[in-house]
Each structure stands twice: as C-alpha cells, then as structure tokens.
Amino acid sequence: MEDTDRDLLPEGLQDRLPPSAAAAAHVARAGLDVLDAHGYDRVQTPTIEFEKSMASRMAGVQPRRMFRFVDPLSLRMMALRSDITVQVGRIAATGLAGAARPLRLCYAGQVVTIKGDGLDPARERLQLGAELIGSDSVAAAGEIVEMAIEALRAAGATGISVDFTLPDLVDTLAAKALPLDADKIEAVRRELDAKDAGGLVAAGGEAYLPLLTAIGPFDTAIERLAAIDAGGALSGRIKALREIAARVGGSARLTLDPSERHGFEYQSWFGFTIYAEGVSGALGRGGSYRILGRDEPAIGFSLYPDALIDVLAGETRRDTLFLPLGHDPVQAARLRAIGWRTVAALSADCDPKALGCMHRLQGTEAISL
C-alpha cells in the first residue's frame, strides 16, 4: 500500500520556499542590524529547555501552550520554546547576572505553540526582539518603542502604527481610586479587555465604564483618560505616556487603548502593539515587566513578522545574471562584488529565463533578456 501522507506537515506548520525564505532572511537580518546599531548584543537560546525554567521567569507564562515531553536522560519535563523573551530573562538572571546594567540584548529565532492565535492557525513563527534589562523607565520605554518602529521600517514595513496600553490599569485604580473586591478584579479586567459594557456592569465594574471612552487616536484618548482620572491615580502613567508619545510620535501613527490586556499577561505598567499598512494583524508587542527570582525590571519588544514576510515575498524579485558556458570568472566575481546575483550554466541547454535570470553576461556586459 502506498504511503500517501508521509510528506504532509502537521497543521499550522509550513515550509518557506523561494522567494519567501529569502524575504524571511532579509527581515531577520535587517531587524538585527538595527538592534545591533543601537548597542543591543545578540544572544542565541536553545530550542528546548526544562519546562520549569521557561514557566518560572515571568508572570503569566502559560505552559499549556508549550509542546512538552519527558527528557529520556534527566526524566524531567522539557518544552519547546514558545517565547524567547523568557529565555533572555533566564540568561540575564544567570549567565549575565554580573553584567553592567542596563543590559541590552537582542535575538531572532523560531518559536512553537500547541495552538495558533485566534484566526491565525500558524503554530511556528519567527520571533525577533530586544530586551533592555535593569530599567523600565520612561526613557527606556521610549528607546524600545523607537527601535521596534525602526526595525520594522528597515525590514520593509510602511504605514506603521503603535497602540499604547496600561496593563496594570485595573490594579492601579482598584487599589484606591476605584476600589474593587479582590474576587472581582479579574472579571473587570476581562470585560474591559472585551470592551463589553454590559459585562463590565455585571462584573461589578460600573465605575470603570468611562474607561471605554478613552480609546482611539492618542491625542484625543489621552485627554479623555486625563479627564476621567479625577483622583490623580493615573497621573504618573498619563505623564509617562505623553513623554513616550512625544518621543516617537513623528515616526508612527499613535493610538491608545488603556484597558487592553490580550497579549500583555506579564507586562506591568506599560505595553504597546505595533501594526503596519497592508499587513493583517499585529506585527508585534512590547512593554515593561519583571524578571522573577531576581525581581529585576525590564522592558522589551517581540516582533512576529511572518505576515510581513508573506507580503514582501510577493513583491520582491532579485535581478539575476546568467553566466554562459566559458564565461570569464574574473568578470563574474567582479559583478557579484558590486551586487549582482549570478547563476552559472552547467550545460549548453540551460535556459536563462527558466532559471529565473533577467540578464545574460556577454563579454563584460550584462545584457537584458
């Protein structure tokens, strides 16, 4: 019996073929070059780690989203990485614990989850990002948001927009300004996140209803949030958001959704989501957090640029030069040195156009086909 499914890939996994793989390499390289230029040192983390290590560095990490299995050598539970950020937190707390702060690190690699997010069935994605460890100040937040924008622009994204949020909004207000019983806080968070006014009232959060109006273009929304904050509980947060917006506002469209929680499970006072024109869904998220165990403040971002890669793969075609039999190798090397991509004939019947070439080397000249 013929084995008809031996070459099938599991749901949510795919190969990247030309030119998609080339676009992916360009995006990763362009993003990392930006981060390197800003003084962020690259680290590489293992694809597999002990589950306990990845689940214990930051609040809100969900082991149930990880592929887990028992290590035959140690008999301990292991997991495929679903988020490189937590691994960078481990590195900062162990191998680089004695390094000068603030510590600037960057990374790029594939991450895997058991299930895709929302309407996106993908279970493996490229994650590219940076972490600034030892500070979660307004200055640090401004630097991180600026770099996320610059990295996406260098990768080829246009029409970038950034949506700011305050992940600890409910906790801050519930402490004094708008008191909540401890058993109601999570429900109020959930209904605010869902923008469900009826659900918010049913959860005991009627006093939080005005927050649903502080959403939209940043300048308008921040004024509404300031007007709501009669007791001044959010004054520090509002001032910080204004400072960050002033720093990055010229490079992207800015919006505000202070009660947004989805995707910010381990963020503390500040978070943001980043989008680009012509690309479906969010391209990345970032914000402030604490590394558990060491209890150290940090701030960073993670980009998931697969949707951008798909767009770029459909737009990019590299100019390729066909090298006929008997061509001058010195001339070919010279042309590659100035940026040409070459494909050499292996036999007389090689077809330049079938091989994707747009030019042919004739003597010392590149002739259009």
Side-chain angles (χ1 to χ4, degrees):
M1 183 181 294
E2 184 180 356
D3 185 358
T4 57
D5 66 351
R6 64 182 179 182
D7 295 325
L8 293 177
L9 288 173
E11 181 181 352
L13 304 179
Q14 66 174 353
D15 295 316
R16 282 210 174 276
L17 305 179
S20 180
H26 162 74
V27 166
R29 183 170 58 249
L32 288 171
D33 284 349
V34 167
L35 303 181
D36 177 74
H38 283 275
Y40 284 69
D41 295 319
R42 186 174 182 181
V43 293
Q44 291 184 324
T45 61
T47 306
I48 303 169
E49 280 199 40
F50 290 123
E51 177 197 15
K52 183 178 180 181
S53 176
M54 286 196 280
S56 63
R57 283 295 169 192
M58 295 173 192
V61 176
Q62 301 175 0
R64 67 179 181 274
R65 298 192 68 218
M66 303 177 188
F67 280 97
R68 293 171 288 172
F69 56 94
V70 175
D71 176 17
L73 294 180
S74 67
L75 300 182
R76 294 174 62 186
M77 187 66 73
M78 301 187 77
L80 289 173
R81 67 185 182 197
S82 61
D83 182 4
I84 299 176
T85 305
V86 297
Q87 296 182 296
V88 177
R90 173 184 54 74
I91 290 173
T94 56
L96 294 176
R101 264 48 176 178
L103 179 65
R104 290 174 166 88
L105 302 174
C106 65
Y107 57 84
Q110 299 296 122
V111 293
V112 182
T113 55
I114 289 177
K115 188 178 180 181
D117 293 324
L119 299 177
D120 182 3
R123 295 195 286 172
E124 181 180 25
R125 299 186 292 172
L126 172 64
Q127 181 180 355
L128 185 156
E131 311 299 330
L132 198 164
I133 296 157
S135 174
D136 64 352
S137 66
V138 174
E143 177 173 307
I144 284 293
V145 177
E146 277 188 319
M147 285 200 313
I149 295 168
E150 187 178 342
L152 277 179
R153 185 174 289 114
T158 58
I160 296 171
S161 63
V162 181
D163 188 39
F164 292 154
T165 188
L166 296 172
D168 68 351
L169 177 68
V170 174
D171 300 85
T172 301
L173 293 174
K176 188 175 180 181
L178 299 175
L180 279 175
D181 294 337
D183 60 350
K184 294 182 178 179
I185 290 177
E186 186 53 41
V188 169
R189 281 198 201 111
R190 183 178 62 250
E191 301 305 332
L192 272 174
D193 194 13
K195 312 297 183 286
D196 184 346
L200 187 58
V201 173
E206 185 173 358
Y208 289 74
L209 283 172
L211 292 172
L212 295 178
T213 67
I215 298 171
F218 182 82
D219 290 340
T220 303
I222 198 69
E223 292 301 331
R224 289 175 180 168
L225 185 61
I228 294 166
D229 185 35
L234 300 176
S235 59
R237 301 284 193 270
I238 292 170
K239 181 175 182 291
L241 287 176
R242 291 187 195 276
E243 290 180 18
I244 298 167
R247 178 167 174 173
V248 305
S251 57
R253 174 178 174 266
L254 300 182
T255 58
L256 175 65
D257 186 351
S259 61
E260 173 71 24
R261 285 282 300 172
H262 179 70
F264 297 97
E265 288 78 11
Y266 57 69
Q267 252 74 47
S268 54
W269 75 269
F270 171 69
F272 66 95
T273 307
I274 191 164
Y275 304 87
E277 191 175 56
V279 180
S280 61
L283 280 173
R285 288 186 173 89
S288 59
Y289 59 93
R290 298 194 76 84
I291 299 172
L292 301 181
R294 187 179 172 96
D295 194 30
E296 183 171 30
I299 190 164
F301 69 84
S302 292
L303 303 179
Y304 299 94
D306 287 65
L308 174 63
I309 291 168
D310 293 339
V311 170
L312 295 176
E315 297 177 349
T316 305
R317 188 185 180 195
R318 291 189 62 190
D319 208 358
T320 304
L321 176 67
F322 180 71
L323 304 177
L325 290 177
H327 69 271
D328 183 349
V330 174
Q331 286 296 332
R334 179 184 66 81
L335 291 167
R336 282 192 293 270
I338 62 173
W340 281 94
R341 181 173 185 250
T342 65
V343 171
L346 299 179
S347 65
D349 58 356
C350 284
D351 183 343
K353 290 187 177 180
L355 294 174
C357 298
M358 288 145 278
H359 293 80
R360 175 189 179 95
L361 181 63
Q362 186 170 311
T364 61
E365 300 295 325
I367 307 299
S368 180
L369 292 174

